[in-house]
Amino acid sequence: MTIPDPHTVEAWTSLFRASQALLDGVESGLKAHGLPQLSWYDALLEIEKAGADGIRPFELKERLLLPQYGTSRLLDRVAKAGLITREDVETDGRGQIVRLTEKGRDTRKAMWPIYAGALITLIQSRISPSELAELNRLLHKITPARPKA
Amino acid sequence: MTIPDPHTVEAWTSLFRASQALLDGVESGLKAHGLPQLSWYDALLEIEKAGADGIRPFELKERLLLPQYGTSRLLDRVAKAGLITREDVETDGRGQIVRLTEKGRDTRKAMWPIYAGALITLIQSRISPSELAELNRLLHKITPARPKA
DNA sequence: GCCATGTAAATGCAACTGCATCTATTTGGA
DNA sequence: TCCAAATAGATGCAGTTGCATTTACATGGC
């Protein structure tokens, strides 16, 4: 059995810690402002991008890389909070169309400065633009091409 | 409100995806072999390092960067699986000493090749040693010095 | 010695995730 | 047409996490 280079283990550790720290930072900022979780942001943004046409949950799950049940339940919560509407689609009795409400749009907008601020503080202020580009390049080497939704 | 550089957002996204992909890879490997979660590995390793003296839960929580209740419950599960012993300490009636059992040692040992193999496949085989070093350097810039346990 | 304060650890409750399964509907063939 | 297989989405259940609180013990000042 091959033993990994200590640098490999360290990379995994620092990668994990970094992403953990960033996530915590963003989430605690949102929570401190009484705003929903980060996962809601991505969903709201995708739904907002879909515009008046709305989006089907199965499309959403592909874009958010969430499991089907995760999407279903996330939509439950977001709908319960009044941020989206879900209505049946006539062309397919199994499906539904999700659309953002005004409140949903407002919520997403309110989340953005907090989210962005955290990223600036936690990333942008700590690393130079060229290093940032290099970091991106290296991370993309590690993460294989997403397996085509 | 300052707007973050798109590269910053992309770095956050790739960082998150990379760490998610690695975590999933390691976890699914362990699960496929009928082994416990990765979080158990770290705990078992720390406890093993403590040797015959054992370790106090509050020390463990500092080393693992876990919340107090998380540590308490992790130890519950690990103890229920027979991988550790917990006994009261005489010098401090509030505390306990955690020690690894033989079974705990065996389990940790069994986990390592799977864990290591996943790291080799997912990281080491995809990036050169010098790039790995650079990745480490960049990640350490982003993650601030841990706030001294 | 007594009490306020602090520290170690556990726990009730709500939220969330994973897994498997279920229901409803559509689709593609024989 | 009819039925097996596929697809969209929901859901029961167990496990896990976060938060707040609780229990138990220790310590320092008076």
Side-chain angles (χ1 to χ4, degrees), chain A residues 2-76:
Chain A
T2 318
I3 288 170
D5 185 323
H7 291 309
T8 301
V9 180
E10 210 220 318
W12 157 240
T13 304
S14 22
L15 190 53
F16 187 72
R17 292 235 168 116
S19 114
Q20 195 68 30
L22 294 180
L23 186 60
D24 287 355
V26 173
E27 293 284 16
S28 73
L30 290 171
K31 184 167 294 189
H33 288 260
L35 290 166
Q37 301 210 138
L38 186 53
S39 57
W40 289 35
Y41 183 87
D42 296 318
L44 293 176
L45 182 59
E46 272 318 318
I47 298 168
E48 186 169 356
K49 277 194 210 155
D53 290 344
I55 187 172
R56 298 281 299 268
F58 78 91
E59 297 177 287
L60 195 58
K61 110 189 166 230
E62 284 158 8
R63 300 194 192 171
L64 298 179
L65 302 176
L66 286 179
Q68 181 270 323
Y69 58 81
T71 306
S72 176
R73 281 173 168 146
L74 178 56
L75 290 176
D76 277 351

Side-chain angles (χ1 to χ4, degrees), chain A residues 4-5 7-8 10-12 14-15 17-19 22 65 115-116 124 126 131 136-137 140-143, chain B residues 4-5 7-8 10-12 14-15 17-19 22 65 115-116 124 126 131-132 136-137 140-143:
Chain A
D5 185 323
H7 291 309
T8 301
E10 210 220 318
W12 157 240
S14 22
L15 190 53
R17 292 235 168 116
S19 114
L22 294 180
L65 302 176
Y115 187 8
Q124 203 164 304
R126 290 183 173 145
E131 285 175 325
N136 270 322
R137 191 182 71 80
H140 281 300
K141 290 198 71 166
I142 285 182
T143 315
Chain B
D5 186 322
H7 292 310
T8 301
E10 209 220 318
W12 156 240
S14 25
L15 191 52
R17 292 235 167 116
S19 115
L22 294 180
L65 302 177
Y115 186 8
Q124 203 164 303
R126 290 183 173 147
E131 284 176 325
L132 197 55
N136 270 321
R137 190 182 71 80
H140 281 300
K141 291 197 70 165
I142 285 182
T143 314

Side-chain angles (χ1 to χ4, degrees), chain A residues 68-108:
Chain A
Q68 181 270 323
Y69 58 81
T71 306
S72 176
R73 281 173 168 146
L74 178 56
L75 290 176
D76 277 351
R77 291 173 235 136
V78 174
K80 190 171 300 174
L83 308 187
I84 60 167
T85 60
R86 287 204 270 192
E87 56 184 79
D88 294 346
V89 46
E90 331 78 51
T91 64
D92 186 341
R94 297 165 302 181
Q96 53 188 222
I97 292 270
V98 173
R99 271 180 264 264
L100 207 60
T101 62
E102 266 310 308
K103 189 175 175 190
R105 197 179 324 277
D106 292 346
T107 299
R108 193 203 62 74

Side-chain angles (χ1 to χ4, degrees), chain B residues 8-128:
Chain B
T8 301
V9 179
E10 209 220 318
W12 156 240
T13 303
S14 25
L15 191 52
F16 187 73
R17 292 235 167 116
S19 115
Q20 195 67 31
L22 294 180
L23 187 60
D24 287 356
V26 173
E27 293 285 16
S28 73
L30 290 171
K31 184 167 293 189
H33 288 260
L35 291 166
Q37 302 208 140
L38 186 53
S39 57
W40 289 35
Y41 184 87
D42 296 318
L44 293 176
L45 183 58
E46 270 320 316
I47 298 168
E48 187 169 356
K49 277 194 209 155
D53 289 344
I55 187 173
R56 298 280 299 269
F58 78 92
E59 297 176 288
L60 196 58
K61 111 190 166 228
E62 285 158 8
R63 301 194 192 171
L64 298 178
L65 302 177
L66 286 179
Q68 182 270 321
Y69 58 80
T71 306
S72 176
R73 281 171 169 149
L74 178 56
L75 290 176
D76 277 351
R77 292 172 234 138
V78 174
K80 191 171 299 175
L83 307 186
I84 60 167
T85 59
R86 288 204 270 193
E87 55 185 80
D88 293 346
V89 48
E90 331 79 49
T91 64
D92 187 340
R94 296 165 302 183
Q96 53 190 219
I97 294 270
V98 174
R99 271 180 264 264
L100 207 61
T101 62
E102 265 310 308
K103 188 175 176 190
R105 196 179 326 278
D106 292 346
T107 299
R108 194 203 62 74
K109 265 190 197 150
M111 293 175 80
W112 173 242
I114 313 300
Y115 186 8
L119 293 186
I120 290 177
T121 304
L122 298 171
I123 301 182
Q124 203 164 303
S125 72
R126 290 183 173 147
I127 193 171
S128 76

